[in-house]
């Protein structure tokens, strides 16, 4: 079967892709730890209140993984669910990409550990690091392999155990983050345009805004680096906030422009779930209605690379995204990094 008659939007991939093969998401899945940490529980750990957290961030609870559950466990569970929904067996996966800032360990790649856990023996596997933007970076990389006919099936996973790098004594950051994973199976489907475009960006001049200084070659682990708290996530909240709104808005606008789409044509905007005020500001600037914008950060907080993947899975599961709908994903994270993608579901 060939692609349907020209759709009332522009498909930049079809125009510029001389190979002419589209890439669709054929299955999504997610996994979050069972344990729910409420704002009330955080009140017992740091000098904060449910009222402050709710009004400043929109977060009411987050999921926290048990000590013996690692990023790869959450990733493997999300991947297994996504593969089941796509009707694909693990042996058919050609490539596994895991986007994460909380790998099980610096090396080997968490993607290799996931490969072992799900039994995807034929797959190549690697990690990518674009912080909270990682899932869209993964989609874009994965779709290049599908488009070029290098691979038939690519598994893209965003997975985090942020509770392992959060300073539970720092009220500025510990209230914001949670653990979880989301996964997508990428394949060619002749009857769908799939991923229409992805705009990615980065600005290393602002790397200091959001980082974990310790543990790399610049600052290897020492007794002093641990005592100084260099192995915890650090953030300049206000500057990060401003940059997030600006970058997410312009990336989303550019993605829509490339597809000759007006925001009214988008069924659902799925933004990175970092702060309700950021989401609202981006939604307003884009002219999206409240119904068009997907929100689940009240239950999960910021799960970094897993955020839009979990949200996409929930949106599909609850019927808010259906076949043929146009979906706009938009993300922002440390690096700085950002991105937006338009998908025909
Ligand atoms: N509970 C109570 N008070 C808190 C608090 C908490 N959990 N965290 C910070 N505060 C205090 C601050 O210490 C500050 O007190 P001060 O005025 O006495 O110094 C006050 O609240 C206001 O802090 P401010 O930084 O002005 O708050 P804000 O409105 O900027 O909100 C964030 C803070 C972190 C919620 C917000 O900046 C944010 O969400 N930034 C983006 C974070 C993000 O998305 N990061 C990930 C990007 S992928």
């Amino acid at each position: 079967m060939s692609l349907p008659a020209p759709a009332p939007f522009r498909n930049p991939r079809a125009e510029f892709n001389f190979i002419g093969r589209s890439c669709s998401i054929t299955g999504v899945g997610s996994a979050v730890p069972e344990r729910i940490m409420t704002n009330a529980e955080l009140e017992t750990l740091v000098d904060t209140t449910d009222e402050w957290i709710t009004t400043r961030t929109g977060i009411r609870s987050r999921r926290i993984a048990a000590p013996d559950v690692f990023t790869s466990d959450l990733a493997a569970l999300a991947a297994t669910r996504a593969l089941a929904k796509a009707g694909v067996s693990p042996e058919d996966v050609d490539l596994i990409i895991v986007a994460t800032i909380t790998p099980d360990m610096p090396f080997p790649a968490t993607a290799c550990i996931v490969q072992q856990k799900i039994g995807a023996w034929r797959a190549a596997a690697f990690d990518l690091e674009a912080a909270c933007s990682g899932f869209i970076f993964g989609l874009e990389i994965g779709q290049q392999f599908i488009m070029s006919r290098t691979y038939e099936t690519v598994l893209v996973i965003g997975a985090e155990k942020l509770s392992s790098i959060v300073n539970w004594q720092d009220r500025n950051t510990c209230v914001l983050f949670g653990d979880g994973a989301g996964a997508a199976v990428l394949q060619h489907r002749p009857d769908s345009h799939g991923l229409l475009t992805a705009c990615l960006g980065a600005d290393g001049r602002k790397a200091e805004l959001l980082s974990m200084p310790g543990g790399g070659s610049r600052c290897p682990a020492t007794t002093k680096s641990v005592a100084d708290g260099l192995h915890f996530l650090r953030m300049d909240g206000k500057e990060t906030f401003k940059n997030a709104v600006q970058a997410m808005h312009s990336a989303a606008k550019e993605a829509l422009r490339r597809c000759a789409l007006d925001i009214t044509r988008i069924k659902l905007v799925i933004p990175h779930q970092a702060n309700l005020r950021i989401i609202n500001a981006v939604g307003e600037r884009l002219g999206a209605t409240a119904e068009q914008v997907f929100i689940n950060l009240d239950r999960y907080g910021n799960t970094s690379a897993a955020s839009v993947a979990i949200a996409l899975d929930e949106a599909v599961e609850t019927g808010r995204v259906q076949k043929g709908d146009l979906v706009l994903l938009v993300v922002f994270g440390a690096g700085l990094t950002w991105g937006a993608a338009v998908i025909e579901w």
Side-chain angles (χ1 to χ4, degrees):
M1 194 172 21
S2 59
L3 284 174
F9 54 80
R10 186 172 148 228
N11 181 352
R13 301 278 193 221
E15 276 174 38
F16 298 118
N17 170 19
F18 57 92
I19 302 160
R21 191 159 93 145
S22 62
C23 170
S24 293
I25 296 179
T26 56
V28 274
S30 63
V32 292
E34 274 173 32
R35 173 158 145 58
I36 299 172
M37 181 184 269
T38 62
N39 291 349
E41 185 177 348
L42 279 164
E43 287 178 357
T44 68
L45 297 177
V46 286
D47 180 15
T48 191
T49 60
D50 173 43
E51 201 265 337
W52 192 98
I53 302 170
T54 310
T55 54
R56 297 296 181 107
T57 72
I59 301 165
R60 294 181 183 278
S61 62
R62 67 288 292 145
R63 300 298 183 97
I64 303 296
D68 61 349
V69 171
F70 315 124
T71 296
S72 63
D73 295 311
L74 298 169
L77 190 51
T80 303
R81 290 173 176 163
L83 288 169
K85 285 192 213 157
V88 171
S89 88
E91 298 86 50
D92 290 329
V93 175
D94 298 303
L95 174 67
I96 303 170
I97 302 173
V98 172
T100 186
I101 54 168
T102 48
D104 282 20
M105 53 189 105
F107 69 89
T110 298
C112 295
I113 301 169
V114 171
Q115 181 209 30
Q116 183 267 320
K117 285 185 174 164
I118 66 173
W121 306 121
R122 283 198 325 105
F126 66 86
D127 287 2
L128 85 81
E129 209 272 71
C132 302
S133 308
F135 185 68
I136 287 189
F137 277 61
L139 288 183
E140 172 68 348
I141 294 167
Q143 81 89 48
Q144 299 287 339
F145 284 111
I146 302 287
M147 239 170 61
S148 64
R149 297 171 196 263
T150 307
Y151 294 132
E152 296 302 319
T153 304
V154 176
L155 189 54
V156 178
I157 307 168
E160 303 285 8
K161 185 178 179 182
L162 292 167
S163 59
S164 65
I165 59 164
V166 158
N167 179 353
W168 290 102
Q169 292 171 347
D170 175 14
R171 69 176 184 174
N172 290 296
T173 53
C174 76
V175 302
L176 302 174
F177 299 97
D179 302 333
V185 179
L186 305 187
Q187 294 177 309
H188 169 60
R189 279 285 173 274
D191 60 345
S192 168
H193 292 89
L195 191 56
L196 292 167
T197 195
C199 310
L200 310 179
D203 186 354
R205 289 168 298 185
K206 295 178 180 170
E208 302 297 323
L209 288 185
L210 190 48
S211 67
M212 189 178 87
S217 60
R218 192 198 284 198
C219 176
T222 61
T223 311
K224 183 168 174 354
S225 74
V226 173
D228 291 346
L230 300 181
H231 301 273
F232 291 130
L233 173 158
R234 293 178 169 195
M235 183 180 69
D236 177 339
K238 268 200 195 317
E239 275 307 305
T240 303
F241 189 109
K242 279 190 257 172
N243 280 277
V245 173
Q246 198 273 326
M248 289 170 80
H249 173 235
S250 42
K253 245 181 39 183
E254 172 61 11
L256 292 174
R257 190 197 63 75
R258 284 192 196 175
C259 302
L261 278 170
D262 186 68
I263 188 71
T264 57
R265 294 287 317 285
I266 297 294
K267 175 72 185 303
L268 199 62
V269 181
I270 303 184
H272 172 48
Q273 307 284 309
N275 183 313
L276 186 57
R277 291 184 295 140
I278 295 177
I279 293 173
N280 287 341
V282 173
E284 272 166 34
R285 285 183 186 204
L286 288 172
T289 63
E291 295 70 42
Q292 271 177 296
V293 181
F294 191 85
I295 292 163
N296 67 2
L297 97 162
D298 50 322
R299 289 175 288 128
Y300 302 128
N302 181 348
T303 56
S304 190
S307 154
V308 286
I310 295 172
L312 181 61
D313 183 40
E314 288 199 344
V316 172
E317 280 296 298
T318 54
R320 289 188 66 184
V321 172
Q322 308 209 345
K323 176 132 183 71
D325 286 343
L326 293 169
V327 182
L328 172 65
L329 308 182
V330 54
V331 293
F332 175 85
L336 299 176
T337 55
W338 57 83
V342 180
I343 301 166
E344 185 196 31
W345 198 254

